[in-house]
Amino acid sequence: MATELARELQRIQAGPLQLVSRNPRKVNDSDTLRRADLLDAAQTHRAVAGSDIVYFTAGLPADTERWEAQFPTMLRNALDATRAAGARFAYFDNTYMYPQDHRTQTEMTPFEPVGRKGKVRARMAQLVLEEMQRGEIPVLIARAPEFYGPGRTQGFTNSLVIERMKAGKRALVPVRADRRRTLIWTPDASRALARLGTTPDAYGQTWHLPVSDAHPTYGEFVELVATVFGVSSRYTVVPRWALNAAGLINSQAREIRELLPRYAADNLFDDSKFRDRFPDFAVTSHAEGLERIRRETRD
């Protein structure tokens, strides 16, 4: 997200960019780099000082204990530093805190987190909402569902479906192949976050980032990947019990077990608020996104 966001902010000439992380690397030639550990309040304040807009896109590995111990502190330090700088704050969020059932998700969906990671994300979102209500600085929340995308995009769909099929392997579908999914193309998420962050009247609100209006089942998505890449559409549905069992011996599988209920239900994410406010925003179709991945692989 941060990489694509930096590219988009440069493209729209949003002003000079400073990229902050423990080991920052330039995305654009003109970027300024600032090394900082967001767990350190003083380092975070120094990194944010002088900023006009702060985009929080920090991530952590899928380690529950690290999320609980570090994520809220990182966010709180960033909020405090932004307030001290008198800047605007754009918070990039996910949907872990939402109910993992068939209900269509809107910006008004109540938080009903399932599992420890969901509770961490709910706590973080609440911190941002409290800052928004305090009203001392402009704040917005931009929320996205599951990613798929080019490059090093991480997520179930990339790792279990796209990457495996590119390699000529059978796709692995978690839990159910007949449930409708909402997937967001990572460059679209970044473009939309940049659009919100540079739109003054977008602040003080929560926004669902724009997604394709197609909500294919995993079975249908596998067929589309097969068509674009010219490979077999074979797939195996991995039942929930098998994924839970894998967690007994595999730490990575163990860390994602709490997300499995959302793969047993239709996942429908409503982006109508964003589309109504920005009707000119072009959303990438799944076919277009997969074709870009195919060209990237070929090149």
Side-chain angles (χ1 to χ4, degrees):
M1 273 297 299
T3 299
E4 293 285 353
L5 176 62
R7 288 177 180 146
E8 179 63 15
L9 290 171
Q10 172 76 4
R11 189 189 69 80
I12 64 176
Q13 299 181 337
L17 302 180
Q18 178 172 262
L19 309 186
V20 179
S21 75
R22 283 173 298 195
N23 296 290
R25 291 179 294 180
K26 285 190 176 186
V27 176
N28 310 294
D29 291 340
S30 60
D31 293 341
T32 300
L33 303 183
R34 186 64 181 258
R35 187 184 300 271
D37 183 346
L38 297 185
L39 291 169
D40 186 304
Q43 290 185 32
T44 307
H45 275 250
R46 288 194 293 269
V48 167
S51 299
D52 294 318
I53 306 173
V54 174
Y55 294 90
F56 187 91
T57 59
L60 286 173
D63 180 316
T64 299
E65 292 186 357
R66 283 188 66 181
W67 280 39
E68 291 172 335
Q70 297 180 6
F71 242 155
T73 300
M74 293 163 62
L75 175 59
R76 192 177 296 109
N77 286 342
L79 284 168
D80 290 345
T82 304
R83 194 183 317 112
R88 290 178 278 175
F89 190 82
Y91 175 61
F92 178 70
D93 201 6
N94 65 22
T95 60
Y96 282 24
M97 75 294 294
Y98 282 163
Q100 296 190 26
D101 56 26
H102 288 284
R103 280 176 281 181
T104 298
Q105 298 167 349
T106 73
E107 288 87 351
M108 301 302 293
T109 294
F111 295 172
E112 297 178 17
V114 175
R116 292 164 64 186
K117 287 190 187 67
K119 291 177 181 177
V120 172
R121 296 303 305 204
R123 179 182 171 195
M124 294 172 68
Q126 190 58 43
L127 284 173
V128 181
L129 288 170
E130 290 169 1
E131 190 70 47
M132 191 184 296
Q133 292 163 3
R134 188 179 291 115
E136 295 181 12
I137 56 172
V139 174
L140 67 81
I141 295 174
R143 189 165 288 143
E146 184 180 338
F147 287 145
Y148 82 106
R152 295 179 295 173
T153 298
Q154 298 180 10
F156 271 10
T157 300
N158 266 66
S159 61
L160 299 182
V161 178
I162 298 172
E163 294 300 325
R164 289 182 61 87
M165 293 180 70
K166 279 167 53 179
K169 299 178 182 178
R170 183 188 293 262
L172 299 179
V173 173
V175 185
R176 298 285 295 260
D178 60 348
R179 294 293 187 250
R180 300 173 70 195
R181 314 302 312 156
T182 301
L183 303 172
I184 191 166
W185 176 247
T186 46
D188 282 359
S190 298
R191 288 193 301 116
L193 178 57
R195 186 75 171 270
L196 289 169
T198 53
T199 302
D201 65 14
Y203 286 84
Q205 304 176 62
T206 296
W207 298 84
H208 276 187
L209 297 177
V211 297
S212 169
D213 55 11
H215 298 275
T217 66
Y218 258 136
E220 293 168 341
F221 190 79
V222 166
E223 290 286 349
L224 182 58
V225 176
T227 298
V228 172
F229 283 86
V231 297
S232 169
S233 60
R234 296 176 303 161
Y235 64 86
T236 297
V237 176
V238 184
R240 189 171 172 181
W241 68 262
L243 290 164
N244 279 324
L248 298 175
I249 57 175
N250 184 297
S251 61
Q252 186 176 20
R254 185 162 53 249
E255 290 297 336
I256 63 175
R257 283 185 297 185
E258 68 186 63
L259 304 178
L260 297 180
R262 67 177 179 173
Y263 293 94
D266 288 337
N267 176 244
L268 302 177
F269 181 86
D270 183 351
D271 65 353
S272 57
K273 176 179 175 179
F274 185 97
R275 287 176 179 265
D276 290 346
R277 175 62 182 81
F278 303 102
D280 62 327
F281 188 94
V283 177
T284 303
S285 71
H286 296 325
E288 292 169 336
L290 291 169
E291 176 59 26
R292 175 171 163 182
I293 295 173
R294 188 191 70 80
R295 292 197 305 268
E296 179 184 77
T297 302
R298 183 184 61 194
D299 296 342

